[in-house]
Amino acid sequence: MENADKKPKKGFSRRKFLAISGSGVAGTLALLYFGRGAIRRKISDVTSEMDIPADVSNFDHKLWFEVNADNTITLKSPKAEMGQGIFTGFAMLAAEELDMAVEKIKVVHANSLNGLLSNTAASNSTSSFYVTIREVAATLRETLKLQASKLWNIPVASISTKDGMLTAGDKQLSYADLAKQITKWETTETPALRPSSQFKYVGKQQKRIDLPDKVLAKPIYGIDTTLPNMVYGAVLYSPYVKGTLKSADTSGAKNSTGVLKIVEETNWIGVVATSRYAAQTAVEKIKAEWDYNPNVSTKDLEKLITVGNGKEVNIQNDGDTDSVPDEVLTGEFRTPIGFHGNLEPSIVVADYKDNKITLYASFQNPAYLQTSVAEALDLKTEDVAIVPTYMGGGFGRKAFKSNAVEAAKLSKAVGKPVHLLATRQQEFQNGYVRPNTHHVLKGKVGKDGKILAFEHHLATGPMIFNSVPAIAETILGADFILAGHGARCAYHVPNVKTTIWHNNLPFETSIWRGVGMFANTFAIESFMDELAHKAGVNPLKLRIDHCDDTPQLVRRKKLLEIIGEKSGWHLPKSEGVGRGLAVCDDRKTVSAAVVEVKIVDGAIKIVKVIQAIDPGKIINPDGIRQQVEGATMMAISASLYEQGTVENGQFVQTNFHNYQVVRLSDTPEIEVILHEGSEVPSGVGEPPLSPIAPAIANAIFDLTGKRLRSLPLQLVLQNASNQ
Amino acid sequence: MQLSLTINNKPTVLDVEPEMPLLWLIRDEAQLKGTKFGCGKALCGACSLYVDGDLIRSCSYPAQLANGKKITTIEGLSENETHLHPVQQAWLEVQVPQCGYCQSGFMMAAAKLLEENPNPTADDIKNGISNICRCGTHPRIIKAILLAAKLKNDGKRG
């Protein structure tokens, strides 16, 4: 077992933002910029196994907690709640060391003025804070005890804590009553943590602490921000990819009702008005001409992102795949551009006053907001205050490219707080997308059913290069960290080669829930199925047979055995049902799915999904179930329906009528199996997403004998049937 | 244009542009933030509310059409916060929301569905509500509506 209670590195107390996520990696890489292939492989080895540490390490409890007069404690979360349920997990972890009921711990978003802020991404909120929150909570408990010992003039050791009370003999005081008397806090050293065997809350079902507000529809989201004298903004952007503003006639907008100000920038025009309707109406009166390339289309993007095109970077090379004489099986796969479709569009309320600004933002990455707005408005970073809010979905869209700079400039122009909400069309056309991918898989299977050689050639646009300094592209050659996440063959195969072909797409591409794992798992786990059929081995057995005794493969094997049994994998299927399996290893979590499908009126119908997950230490079982169910539905959506396309230099998709997503009618029966295969918690938000697409495709093959090698499967099946 | 309407049983007079979507009247003028903007084209249902008892998508409903009418928003669905509507009770019991942003629209649609069909099957629910949820709370929404039907029917009997 790994040591779950190990302390994160200390020694750099900082009450400031971290650099933009990923730059730490890039900085390390810069030092390594003296080689090519071998070094890149080495970096790939390291990053594919990398633990993402808690990126805040200031243990000053005042930055984390407030003891309230009603003897509750407020935990100021550096991470943002966008639906993952992390606030509840954080309260449970704090409760373990604070000796208070979970219900007595309120969790709020920290802001840059009262606490610490961190990027919320990579499914690492709970895993990276698993130790940190308990340590800060334990420090606060011991600090309270120390203060009580001074007040009562007795040794600390004679004081005990329970249910928010400090007790020593007949002396008793609530945390709140003690805190009221403290004028100067003297913080203790961080004590040893209680062992997990003494946990009272962790591992037990806990109702989410954010749900009462959400069910009562309280104004907690970025869009709900209201400030005195607030006015409304609307912005005109290029509807074309990488379009630049050639000319604009704003006279109609200037005379439009309610307009306070027009702000013309190099590549966008903003309107501030007394109401959102007035602002939007005025924007629609602007006559703009754009320079753009009308020849960008999906057909060309598929050509661009094709194995053999662009910069080639080999990231895994074990043995020699050419040395194996057996016949080669080749499979070719594609995934399309994906949009996030977060239901709350980009929203920032900017309040500019006296060369300082406060940004109220529904956003995953506060450091990005702070640095981008400071730079654009020529402010000191410490004069840009960030107040994060609950998010109406993120899925990676709210990590970069915010409309905060526009909001900030509009606020500065009118000297009032400005509420700037993106339209849905802008959310589609002016954000960024998951890049399309192309995969060529090659495999050789021996007579004994063993895979002897496995090659994965991935062509993709990058996801990481908008989050790291430009030099990273030169150093890395290709984005094997994010877009290449999951590209490596995880199975034990003697001869393995993984290569990425990098090309930049003519628009911004970046992270989407699961990053590269989604596309790479679709390709690899579909191909595993093909190899199994070629070898005449049951697909479950083939996978189990290629798990060796390395820790992650031991966990994978165990989870495969569990799902095999619980899904009735070896039992007969109902008439007209196809069954498929897939597994992935993502953020140190193993996730496996068995999907049962039918074809109804020529369309794929998902009947049942059994998802097994080994997320290591389980904090809130129902919270994990929620994430697994949600990831399953989002993955069904992305597998069956979702596809971004470009024609004549413009994203075709403008709203949900031409970007189909799942509805209630798509809901299958979903069964979730939790397996705690480690004492260390790992990610949950993303991992269960990726096995779904290949499990569906494998189930369709099982049912029809047709191998669908591209997403979205519904469209691909229909096209295949029409041929 | 001056509009007189009743919002959650409260008579209200507001001066707004007649073509302004009702959603913005509710959110920005009446300051009721529970009704959400999602798509602006009546496709996602996040802005669902009732006008004279009819379920409508307020992002695409001109404010002037609501003149003289009774509006019910998510804030008016329950009698008060200690006597929650069966749909909201069920939503908490089943732990439906994740990000929660689309949920007020879903709850409004669910409450209306139960008015029209007090004993829905899972298929009635799947086919009766077309709102969009991106977090994937669909399985729990279906479960919660079935529970809400039970709570509502038990409440009537009791």
Side-chain angles (χ1 to χ4, degrees):
Chain A
M1 288 283 176
E2 292 175 67
N3 178 8
D5 295 328
K6 68 188 173 194
K7 274 194 175 191
K9 263 186 267 170
K10 277 206 212 173
F12 56 109
S13 167
R14 44 186 178 163
R15 192 188 170 176
K16 59 179 184 182
F17 297 112
L18 283 158
I20 294 168
S21 166
S23 60
V25 173
T28 314
L29 299 179
L31 298 171
L32 293 169
Y33 186 44
F34 51 78
R36 291 283 182 186
I39 290 293
R40 285 174 180 153
R41 272 196 295 281
K42 189 69 203 155
I43 297 167
S44 172
D45 288 347
V46 171
T47 53
S48 69
E49 297 286 316
M50 194 166 57
D51 259 332
I52 301 172
D55 50 1
V56 287
S57 51
N58 191 328
F59 283 65
D60 179 350
H61 64 81
K62 292 187 289 301
L63 296 175
W64 291 82
F65 291 113
E66 277 168 24
V67 182
N68 304 313
D70 62 353
N71 209 28
T72 57
I73 284 186
T74 298
L75 165 57
K76 295 176 277 186
S77 168
K79 299 274 187 185
E81 178 61 78
M82 52 185 168
Q84 336 86 302
I86 57 171
F87 276 14
T88 307
F90 289 174
M92 293 168 77
L93 291 171
E96 294 292 358
E97 294 289 346
L98 281 173
D99 292 326
M100 302 180 84
V102 175
E103 291 71 27
K104 297 280 183 186
I105 297 171
K106 299 171 182 172
V107 184
V108 300
H109 290 95
N111 62 57
S112 63
L113 303 171
N114 73 4
L116 302 160
L117 292 178
S118 164
N119 191 10
T120 307
S123 303
N124 79 348
S125 294
T126 303
S127 57
S128 70
F129 278 7
Y130 176 62
V131 174
T132 310
I133 286 189
R134 286 183 296 144
E135 288 197 322
V136 190
T139 310
L140 174 58
R141 182 195 70 227
E142 290 305 310
T143 298
L144 287 165
K145 282 163 75 175
L146 175 69
Q147 301 290 351
S149 83
K150 288 185 175 174
L151 186 71
W152 292 334
N153 202 18
I154 55 171
V156 172
S158 61
I159 301 169
S160 63
T161 47
K162 196 184 171 191
D163 296 334
M165 303 295 287
L166 297 130
T167 309
D170 57 356
K171 294 189 176 68
Q172 201 174 45
L173 206 51
S174 72
Y175 293 173
D177 287 338
L178 175 66
K180 267 184 240 159
Q181 300 180 38
I182 303 172
T183 47
K184 192 171 181 302
W185 289 83
E186 186 185 329
T187 307
T188 61
E189 286 295 302
T190 300
L193 292 178
R194 290 170 178 165
S196 57
S197 57
Q198 289 179 20
F199 282 163
K200 288 183 185 153
Y201 309 105
V202 169
K204 297 200 182 110
Q205 208 88 323
Q206 179 68 46
K207 293 217 161 178
R208 282 181 60 155
I209 61 174
D210 54 336
L211 293 207
D213 276 358
K214 287 177 176 178
V215 167
L216 290 167
K218 299 279 185 185
I220 58 173
Y221 301 93
I223 194 176
D224 303 333
T225 308
T226 306
L227 299 176
N229 302 316
M230 187 174 83
V231 288
Y232 296 87
V235 170
L236 180 72
Y237 300 102
S238 165
Y240 306 101
V241 300
K242 295 265 167 97
T244 53
L245 186 59
K246 192 157 75 176
S247 65
D249 174 5
T250 57
S251 53
K254 278 191 183 106
N255 298 324
S256 196
T257 314
V259 169
L260 301 172
K261 193 94 184 176
I262 310 263
V263 175
E264 298 192 43
E265 290 277 329
T266 322
N267 223 18
W268 56 268
I269 300 169
V271 174
V272 186
T274 50
S275 76
R276 184 183 325 281
Y277 178 70
Q280 194 57 42
T281 304
V283 158
E284 283 159 20
K285 290 176 182 167
I286 299 172
K287 293 180 191 129
E289 284 192 55
W290 304 91
D291 273 324
Y292 67 101
N293 177 0
N295 299 319
V296 182
S297 78
T298 301
K299 195 161 48 61
D300 302 325
L301 302 178
E302 289 194 355
K303 266 188 219 152
L304 182 71
I305 302 297
T306 289
V307 169
N309 261 352
K311 189 165 187 65
E312 180 188 12
V313 175
N314 171 255
I315 61 166
Q316 191 184 22
N317 206 358
D318 302 333
D320 179 2
T321 52
D322 292 331
S323 69
V324 183
D326 299 68
E327 188 195 345
V328 184
L329 181 72
T330 303
E332 197 179 332
F333 301 85
R334 280 193 182 274
T335 71
I337 288 165
F339 293 102
H340 306 79
N342 42 285
L343 218 50
E344 181 192 34
S346 297
I347 157 73
V348 174
V349 176
D351 187 7
Y352 187 96
K353 222 177 280 164
D354 306 327
N355 295 316
K356 288 186 182 184
I357 194 159
T358 305
L359 302 167
Y360 301 81
S362 165
F363 206 64
Q364 293 171 242
N365 184 350
Y368 175 87
L369 283 188
Q370 198 184 38
T371 49
S372 58
V373 169
E375 193 179 315
L377 274 80
D378 199 17
L379 295 170
K380 291 185 212 138
T381 46
E382 60 264 35
D383 289 337
V384 180
I386 309 292
V387 182
T389 66
Y390 280 91
M391 268 177 266
F395 316 114
R397 171 63 191 93
K398 293 176 176 174
F400 304 102
K401 204 173 182 187
S402 149
N403 51 358
V405 168
E406 294 89 308
K409 288 190 172 179
L410 295 181
S411 175
K412 188 179 177 182
V414 293
K416 287 179 179 178
V418 171
H419 186 294
L420 181 61
L421 175 72
T423 66
R424 178 54 56 188
Q425 182 168 344
Q426 289 169 348
E427 206 60 19
F428 274 97
Q429 298 192 319
N430 302 101
Y432 48 78
V433 297
R434 187 187 73 224
N436 54 311
T437 62
H438 178 232
H439 313 252
V440 175
L441 279 292
K442 291 179 182 176
K444 296 175 183 175
V445 195
K447 289 196 177 61
D448 59 350
K450 281 281 160 68
I451 304 170
L452 302 172
F454 193 100
E455 291 186 10
H456 179 198
H457 303 263
L458 159 70
T460 180
M463 291 177 166
I464 200 173
F465 295 140
N466 65 345
S467 63
V468 293
I471 184 74
E473 188 167 342
T474 314
I475 298 165
L476 297 176
D479 170 20
F480 45 81
I481 295 172
L482 297 184
H485 181 57
R488 298 158 65 97
C489 174
Y491 293 101
H492 179 74
V493 175
N495 303 290
V496 177
K497 189 171 165 184
T498 306
T499 295
I500 304 191
W501 295 83
H502 164 80
N503 252 315
N504 284 311
L505 284 153
F507 39 77
E508 285 188 56
T509 55
S510 189
I511 60 174
W512 191 95
R513 191 178 188 178
V515 293
M517 187 62 72
F518 176 72
N520 291 318
T521 306
F522 169 60
I524 290 176
E525 286 291 304
S526 294
F527 191 63
M528 283 297 287
D529 211 59
E530 294 196 57
L531 288 173
H533 288 284
K534 170 143 177 96
V537 178
N538 186 289
L540 176 64
K541 184 176 184 310
L542 183 83
R543 288 173 171 87
I544 289 174
D545 284 350
H546 290 83
C547 293
D548 64 10
D549 55 2
T550 53
Q552 282 305 100
L553 284 178
V554 168
R555 291 173 70 182
R556 179 182 288 229
K557 184 179 172 185
K558 180 73 193 168
L559 202 69
L560 285 167
E561 287 167 354
I562 290 170
I563 200 168
E565 193 199 320
K566 296 276 175 75
S567 69
W569 180 257
H570 295 292
L571 300 176
K573 293 163 291 183
S574 312
E575 181 68 27
V577 170
R579 199 187 271 154
L581 165 79
V583 61
C584 76
D585 194 329
D586 185 11
R587 318 288 187 201
K588 298 220 161 159
T589 288
V590 189
S591 210
V594 168
V595 173
E596 294 186 356
V597 303
K598 280 184 181 174
I599 306 283
V600 179
D601 300 331
I604 301 162
K605 177 92 187 157
I606 315 288
V607 184
K608 186 171 181 185
V609 177
I610 300 120
Q611 277 261 26
I613 186 167
D614 170 7
K617 185 79 188 166
I618 290 167
I619 313 297
N620 184 10
D622 196 50
I624 296 176
R625 281 200 187 90
Q626 255 196 332
Q627 287 305 293
V628 176
E629 291 166 15
T632 301
M633 291 308 299
M634 192 170 186
I636 290 173
S637 192
S639 306
L640 292 189
Y641 305 127
E642 294 178 31
Q643 173 173 240
T645 53
V646 186
E647 293 306 330
N648 307 318
Q650 190 170 20
F651 283 116
V652 172
Q653 290 70 34
T654 54
N655 211 316
F656 292 113
H657 66 288
N658 50 18
Y659 192 72
Q660 189 182 351
V661 297
V662 285
R663 311 256 174 172
L664 285 182
S665 53
D666 294 294
T667 314
E669 182 189 343
I670 300 176
E671 188 185 326
V672 179
I673 301 157
L674 306 184
H675 175 69
E676 196 173 81
S678 160
E679 272 295 299
V680 184
S682 47
V684 169
E686 295 166 290
L689 193 105
S690 295
I692 294 294
I696 298 172
N698 296 342
I700 292 164
F701 179 81
D702 180 51
L703 180 64
T704 66
K706 278 182 202 154
R707 176 64 61 188
L708 303 184
R709 293 193 179 84
S710 298
L711 303 182
L713 297 169
Q714 198 72 277
L715 188 72
V716 172
L717 178 73
Q718 277 156 16
N719 290 344
S721 305
N722 293 338
Q723 276 167 11
Chain B
M1 178 184 181
Q2 206 174 61
L3 301 180
S4 301
L5 19 77
T6 306
I7 306 174
N8 299 333
N9 294 322
K10 196 174 137 198
T12 309
V13 178
L14 291 165
D15 196 5
V16 299
E17 293 282 313
E19 293 295 326
M20 175 196 275
L22 179 61
L23 172 64
W24 301 128
L25 179 151
I26 293 297
R27 284 186 56 86
D28 297 337
E29 309 300 327
Q31 294 294 326
L32 292 166
K33 304 292 187 184
T35 311
K36 296 297 193 245
F37 172 86
C39 69
K41 302 279 184 197
L43 297 165
C44 77
C47 62
S48 300
L49 48 72
Y50 307 152
V51 176
D52 278 351
D54 291 333
L55 181 70
I56 62 111
R57 292 183 169 176
S58 64
C59 71
S60 304
Y61 188 97
Q64 61 182 332
L65 294 185
N67 196 18
K69 294 183 179 166
K70 285 175 76 169
I71 315 291
T72 307
T73 70
I74 184 70
E75 290 89 346
L77 185 65
S78 291
E79 206 179 310
N80 59 51
E81 291 189 7
T82 48
H83 295 88
L84 291 184
H85 187 282
V87 163
Q88 286 172 303
Q89 288 176 41
W91 242 247
L92 280 174
E93 180 59 33
V94 175
Q95 294 280 289
V96 175
Q98 290 186 29
C99 89
Y101 191 80
C102 68
Q103 299 294 337
S104 55
F106 266 107
M107 288 187 283
M108 295 304 278
K112 185 53 63 183
L113 182 129
L114 291 178
E115 267 179 37
E116 288 163 2
N117 180 359
N119 293 296
T121 63
D123 279 342
D124 292 339
I125 296 166
K126 287 181 180 183
N127 299 322
I129 297 176
S130 64
N131 292 25
I132 289 175
C133 167
R134 234 4 215 162
C135 296
T137 62
H138 311 77
R140 291 188 189 224
I141 287 173
I142 296 165
K143 206 172 152 189
I145 296 174
L146 292 170
L147 174 64
K150 190 174 174 300
L151 292 174
K152 209 174 161 190
N153 294 337
D154 288 354
K156 268 183 205 148
R157 266 183 237 118

